[in-house]
Amino acid sequence: MKIYTSVQMREREQAAVDAGSSFEQLMENAGTAAASDILQHFPVPGRCLVVCGKGNNGGDGLVIARCLHAQGWQVDIVFLLGEQLTELAELNRQRLPQSNKLHIITMQQVSRQQPYELLIDGVFGTGFSGQLSDAVRQCMVQLNAMPGTRIALDMPTGLNCDTGQADADTFRADISYAFAAYKPAHLLAQAKPYCGQIVCLDIGIE
Ligand SMILES: NC(=O)C1=CN([C@@H]2O[C@H](COP(=O)(O)OP(=O)(O)OC[C@H]3O[C@@H](n4cnc5c(N)ncnc54)[C@H](O)[C@@H]3O)[C@@H](O)[C@H]2O)[C@@H](O)CC1
Ligand SMILES: [K+]
């Protein structure tokens, strides 16, 4: 079992790029690996909400949004922290299709939608430290109260991947996809209620 801290993840990511991969490819690998596992468990297209932050965790979410849409899912996307994204996340935003089955909405609009089968958290991953802002905390409270299967990308938002320190309103995932390796927090007893089932996915990083 591989366990990498956030710093080790960045080092391993750089090593994969030095060996011939690219940051873009690693994000694509992460998103498509998660989407493929999701589609195995949920083969019938339904409705999915993807909540993205500004970082690469959100970029993974955007790859998944594209993959699920391509398989017939109705996808709603929220940019919780505004639309000034990292370069890679922006690239994947531009790859989203124009479609009446894919909408950019706000969290205020979410409550007015029909229920979602899947709620995907791409707000913060290994880049998170410190405290949740009020806006993110409110969003997590809302998501945690909604019906549907909750899926965390890499880490549930609110959980520090290195220390396991968790905000009381951390996203409560049913499934967490750990990209490339488990992070220290995935293995701590205190983090269990937030991570749900943890699935480690190969994304082309040693
Ligand atoms: N490192 C790797 O090898 C890979 C990373 N990927 C994804 O990228 C994620 C990491 O992406 P990023 O480094 O862009 O970071 P995140 O997307 O986790 O977070 C975004 C940014 O939020 C800011 N932030 C941190 N704490 C905050 C707080 N308390 N309040 C407000 N803002 C805060 C930081 O500036 C951080 O860069 C991983 O979890 C994973 O999902 C994958 O796409 C592919 C491979
Ligand atoms: K997340």
Side-chain angles (χ1 to χ4, degrees), residues 16-78:
V17 171
D18 293 344
S21 189
S22 65
F23 294 109
E24 180 185 339
Q25 186 62 53
L26 295 175
M27 182 174 284
E28 187 70 16
N29 293 351
T32 53
S36 148
D37 194 77
I38 290 169
L39 290 166
Q40 267 185 29
H41 289 94
F42 299 89
V44 179
R47 301 182 76 252
C48 168
L49 176 68
V50 184
V51 185
C52 299
K54 295 176 175 185
N56 291 340
N57 197 247
D60 297 343
L62 294 171
V63 175
I64 295 171
R66 168 165 38 90
C67 293
L68 292 186
H69 174 269
Q71 295 303 317
W73 283 71
Q74 162 84 49
V75 181
D76 287 345
I77 300 171
V78 171

Side-chain angles (χ1 to χ4, degrees), residues 186-200:
H186 284 132
L187 305 174
L188 297 175
Q190 75 224 44
K192 264 228 158 339
Y194 304 111
C195 294
Q197 182 198 353
I198 302 164
V199 179
C200 190

Side-chain angles (χ1 to χ4, degrees), residues 57 121-125 152-157:
N57 197 247
D121 160 29
V123 179
F124 293 128
L153 304 182
D154 226 4
M155 292 308 298
T157 289

Side-chain angles (χ1 to χ4, degrees), residues 6 9-10 12-13 23 26-28 30 54-60 81 86 88 122-133 153-155 179-180 203 205:
S6 55
M9 272 307 295
R10 279 199 294 277
R12 301 316 305 161
E13 185 181 42
F23 294 109
L26 295 175
M27 182 174 284
E28 187 70 16
K54 295 176 175 185
N56 291 340
N57 197 247
D60 297 343
L81 301 174
T86 58
L88 277 183
V123 179
F124 293 128
T126 56
F128 174 74
S129 60
Q131 306 293 316
L132 292 181
S133 66
L153 304 182
D154 226 4
M155 292 308 298
F179 294 128
I203 65 164
I205 286 179

Side-chain angles (χ1 to χ4, degrees), residues 39-187:
L39 290 166
Q40 267 185 29
H41 289 94
F42 299 89
V44 179
R47 301 182 76 252
C48 168
L49 176 68
V50 184
V51 185
C52 299
K54 295 176 175 185
N56 291 340
N57 197 247
D60 297 343
L62 294 171
V63 175
I64 295 171
R66 168 165 38 90
C67 293
L68 292 186
H69 174 269
Q71 295 303 317
W73 283 71
Q74 162 84 49
V75 181
D76 287 345
I77 300 171
V78 171
F79 290 107
L80 187 63
L81 301 174
E83 298 201 23
Q84 194 81 34
L85 310 180
T86 58
E87 201 179 326
L88 277 183
E90 177 58 31
L91 185 69
N92 281 294
R93 180 179 38 182
Q94 287 168 15
R95 287 180 178 160
L96 293 172
Q98 294 283 341
S99 164
N100 60 8
K101 294 193 86 176
L102 189 147
H103 299 284
I104 311 292
I105 63 167
T106 64
M107 278 312 287
Q108 285 74 20
Q109 290 171 305
V110 161
S111 54
R112 291 188 233 123
Q113 310 292 321
Q114 296 153 6
Y116 296 97
E117 276 82 15
L118 301 178
L119 305 167
I120 300 184
D121 160 29
V123 179
F124 293 128
T126 56
F128 174 74
S129 60
Q131 306 293 316
L132 292 181
S133 66
D134 286 346
V136 177
R137 186 172 289 121
Q138 271 172 30
C139 171
M140 295 305 136
V141 168
Q142 191 175 339
L143 293 174
N144 286 339
M146 285 167 67
T149 299
R150 275 182 286 281
I151 296 177
L153 304 182
D154 226 4
M155 292 308 298
T157 289
L159 186 59
N160 181 306
C161 79
D162 293 330
T163 65
Q165 188 186 347
D167 189 283
D169 293 313
T170 294
F171 186 74
R172 288 184 175 265
D174 298 297
I175 304 167
S176 293
Y177 289 117
F179 294 128
Y182 294 88
K183 314 303 174 305
H186 284 132
L187 305 174

